[in-house]
Amino acid sequence: MTIQQGTTRRPARVALTGVSKAFGRTHALTDVTLAGERGSIHAITGENGAGKSTLMKLLSGVHLPDTGEIRVDGERVRLETPAQARRAGVSTVFQELTILPNLTVAENLCLGREPRRYGTLDRRRIVRNAVEVLERSGVALAPKRLCDDLTIAEQQMLEIAKGLVDDAGVFIFDEPTAPLNRTEIDTLEAVLVRLRHEGKLVFYISHRLDEIFRFCDTVSVLKDGRHIATHAAADLSERRLVQLMVGRELTALFPPRRRASCAEPALDVASLSVRAGGPDVSLSVGRGEIVGIAGLEGHGQREILRTLAGIDVPAKSEIRIADRHGAMARHDPARGVQAAVQQGIALMPEDRKSEGLYLGLSVRDNIALGFLRGRPLWRRAHRAPSVVAAWIDRIRLRGLPADAVQSLSGGNQQKVMLARWLAAGVNVLLVEQPTRGVDVGAKAEIYALLRRFAEEGGAVLAVSGDLPELIGMCDRILVVRNGAFVADVRAAEATEEQLLAFALTEPAADRSSRASVNGEEA
């Protein structure tokens, strides 16, 4: 596999030939052959479980292939460890965060390559090197900041900066934008463009079709561990790419909305202040309704959801929640998560692996945990195997009920977490980033499950940084700015530009009111 440049034939930067990898009885990759060229951003895409991450882990030294060979710049390599991969010129930004929270930003950036002076750590040089890397990558983080204080989005930007520490020839970005906002995605794009201009090869793993067409020159599609096709991005349409990924034409990503909203409230927030001195917000979600919360990262939408779920204690609250029969009862978030779940309100957190799932337990047990809602500790756990089996079938799980959840793809893990609460019979579902790290086929299935839950009398309140997702999935969208709601928009009539304008622009009435208070206006 070579490329023609003038009269000189040069080998591809990376060539994988006949690569296969199995984990027990599961064949993650089967006879995959593809090449990546210099000065190229090469998308690797496909449904969850297609083998994308496994393929890149072979190249980054996490796994060895069972068969086949890997060549870098024409030379066959055996990458037994990530350190060997780095020495071969391969740098990886993994989807799973590898930040050590007890260290600073600078210390995380120099892990494994710590500078020393007179036999001890050279801390001044650690900070100096970190400043250079952060400036080169466009990441605005203080080098001495403790990583335990970083948001998930900031941790992801730090992961990107870590990947640029080495002057590698090959860069792998595995779902790098999942938690990022628009500004951070623009920063990543600038990094990618610079790497391409420097002649680097970037393998870019993503489910987001808009990013693939925005960033990438070439697209390779995997399905069920096999290489399906490689095309120039310019030769593909979104419709054709979806067909290659899922093996069928996806007629509708989002299910139809309800024709009329239900007048009966499922969640009625008359007053909520998540912190002392903060804004007082109110909202209502009707039975059968999906309501989204949009806004710039860090403007309070996550805190509102987590307070309603009983994770955070509010400064004050006046909230009522309905049971399945419509009877309203007071909901006090200060009583905690268990009390909230017993009342029928449950949270699907953004970080499903550390907060939402028991990774070492089976699919069956993770779903069955939903039945423990409201059960005293002295009573025997009710597993309801037939009900669990029915839900596994309903969510179209790709895997066995006895499989550990940690062995599943991101999309299937998300469906297991959703199935737990649907099977438990909750009335209100709070969802953070509904389809983060999920492929297009699994997205359609998750949207359908949420819509079916709503049509059966449930209510959904969702936070997402993906505005097209909110517009397509929701009935109404609330826009938050500085912890307060500034707009309530019908999703069918909403546009991305309109929602961003609400999130960014202070209404003239607010400016006038503030000016009067400050004595600047008569």
Side-chain angles (χ1 to χ4, degrees):
M1 295 183 182
T2 57
I3 56 175
Q4 187 78 34
Q5 293 192 355
T7 58
T8 304
R9 293 179 63 85
R10 300 178 64 190
R13 174 71 80 181
V14 170
L16 301 104
T17 306
V19 171
S20 297
K21 181 66 180 178
F23 299 96
R25 295 177 298 172
T26 302
H27 293 274
L29 294 169
T30 303
D31 195 27
V32 172
T33 296
L34 62 85
E37 311 295 354
R38 294 170 175 78
S40 172
I41 303 175
H42 191 135
I44 306 293
T45 192
E47 292 188 281
N48 283 111
K52 307 180 297 296
S53 293
T54 301
L55 185 66
M56 293 298 101
K57 285 178 179 178
L58 298 185
L59 187 56
S60 58
V62 176
H63 301 310
L64 278 172
D66 298 330
T67 60
E69 68 174 28
I70 301 173
R71 291 182 179 271
V72 177
D73 292 328
E75 294 197 10
R76 185 171 182 174
V77 294
R78 181 177 172 85
L79 307 176
E80 297 184 352
T81 65
Q84 288 184 350
R86 286 197 299 270
R87 288 195 291 269
V90 180
S91 180
T92 305
V93 178
F94 288 112
Q95 179 182 2
E96 305 302 331
L97 298 173
T98 60
I99 303 299
L100 297 183
N102 60 318
L103 300 183
T104 66
V105 167
E107 290 165 343
N108 268 279
L109 284 172
C110 75
L111 277 177
R113 43 180 84 79
E114 297 87 350
R116 293 184 176 273
R117 188 167 183 263
Y118 304 126
T120 61
L121 289 178
D122 188 343
R123 297 196 174 275
R124 289 186 178 180
R125 189 175 166 195
I126 287 174
V127 173
R128 189 166 60 247
N129 291 350
V131 169
E132 293 175 0
V133 172
L134 292 168
E135 288 179 351
R136 190 166 74 245
S137 58
V139 176
L141 290 176
K144 294 184 180 180
R145 186 176 172 188
L146 191 66
C147 289
D148 192 38
D149 297 332
L150 301 181
T151 66
I152 291 179
E154 288 172 330
Q155 290 182 49
Q156 185 64 61
M157 293 304 293
L158 181 55
E159 286 284 359
I160 292 169
K162 283 177 61 180
L164 301 178
V165 170
D166 296 317
D167 186 23
V170 181
F171 290 85
I172 300 170
F173 288 83
D174 190 355
E175 294 283 357
T177 65
L180 304 186
N181 61 32
R182 281 197 167 197
T183 301
E184 292 160 339
I185 291 173
D186 290 342
T187 299
L188 173 62
E189 182 178 24
V191 170
L192 294 173
V193 169
R194 179 173 60 78
L195 292 175
R196 178 167 54 195
H197 286 168
E198 292 175 355
K200 313 294 187 181
L201 164 63
V202 177
F203 281 120
Y204 190 88
I205 303 174
S206 182
H207 298 124
R208 297 186 175 184
L209 304 187
D210 58 330
E211 290 179 7
I212 289 174
F213 288 104
R214 174 181 172 182
F215 298 153
C216 302
D217 313 299
T218 308
V219 183
S220 288
V221 180
L222 300 182
K223 182 172 177 59
D224 298 328
R226 296 181 180 274
H227 176 226
I228 299 301
T230 295
H231 294 287
D235 295 337
L236 289 169
S237 64
E238 286 196 9
R239 180 176 177 178
R240 175 58 180 152
L241 182 53
V242 169
Q243 283 181 312
L244 291 170
M245 290 169 62
V246 303
R248 66 187 188 281
E249 185 171 354
L250 200 62
T251 55
L253 184 60
F254 300 103
R257 296 182 178 91
R258 290 176 58 92
R259 287 191 173 88
S261 61
C262 180
E264 298 179 30
L267 175 67
D268 182 29
V269 180
S271 174
L272 174 65
S273 293
V274 298
R275 67 179 186 278
D280 192 350
V281 301
S282 61
L283 65 97
S284 180
V285 185
R287 295 180 63 187
E289 192 176 32
I290 300 178
V291 175
I293 302 180
L296 302 180
E297 180 74 26
H299 275 246
Q301 54 270 53
R302 188 170 185 263
E303 288 76 8
I304 291 171
L305 229 63
R306 289 183 166 243
T307 301
L308 292 173
I311 295 174
D312 299 330
V313 178
K316 70 171 184 175
S317 66
E318 185 180 341
I319 304 169
R320 295 188 307 154
I321 187 170
D323 61 23
R324 279 289 179 174
H325 304 292
M328 302 296 290
R330 182 173 180 268
H331 168 55
D332 182 5
R335 294 176 58 202
V337 174
Q338 184 177 359
V341 172
Q342 288 175 349
Q343 279 193 284
I345 183 168
L347 174 73
M348 285 181 58
E350 176 182 5
D351 191 346
R352 55 181 169 261
K353 292 198 172 183
S354 65
E355 295 184 307
L357 295 166
Y358 296 87
L359 298 179
L361 297 183
S362 68
V363 169
R364 183 188 298 114
D365 287 342
N366 267 275
I367 295 176
L369 284 170
F371 298 124
L372 301 182
R373 178 170 68 99
R375 277 187 168 266
L377 292 176
W378 51 266
R379 292 194 61 181
R380 183 179 179 184
H382 179 56
R383 295 179 178 272
S386 62
V387 177
V388 172
W391 274 102
I392 290 173
D393 183 62
R394 183 167 168 175
I395 64 176
R396 299 177 64 181
L397 181 77
R398 295 180 183 90
L400 299 173
D403 288 347
V405 165
Q406 63 190 358
S407 70
L408 301 181
S409 64
N412 284 314
Q413 288 181 352
Q414 191 78 347
K415 288 193 289 185
V416 168
M417 186 165 59
L418 176 56
R420 174 197 297 162
W421 294 124
L422 298 184
V426 298
N427 311 319
V428 178
L429 199 55
L430 309 173
V431 188
E432 291 179 341
Q433 311 301 338
T435 59
R436 178 188 172 193
V438 172
D439 70 79
V440 66
K443 282 183 179 181
E445 294 170 355
I446 289 170
Y447 297 145
L449 287 167
L450 291 174
R451 179 55 67 183
R452 183 171 174 180
F453 168 72
E455 289 177 347
E456 292 173 352
V460 178
L461 183 63
V463 167
S464 176
D466 187 345
L467 294 182
E469 175 172 76
L470 290 179
I471 292 169
M473 179 182 72
C474 299
D475 299 296
R476 287 188 297 121
I477 301 171
L478 305 173
V479 184
V480 67
R481 187 179 65 247
N482 296 326
F485 293 122
V486 295
D488 184 342
V489 184
R490 286 186 60 195
E493 300 168 357
T495 65
E496 291 185 65
E497 292 75 17
Q498 177 194 39
L499 297 176
L500 279 173
F502 282 127
L504 290 166
T505 308
E506 184 177 20
D510 289 354
R511 293 195 298 271
S512 175
S513 173
R514 191 175 64 251
S516 297
V517 170
N518 293 336
E520 299 172 6
E521 181 176 301

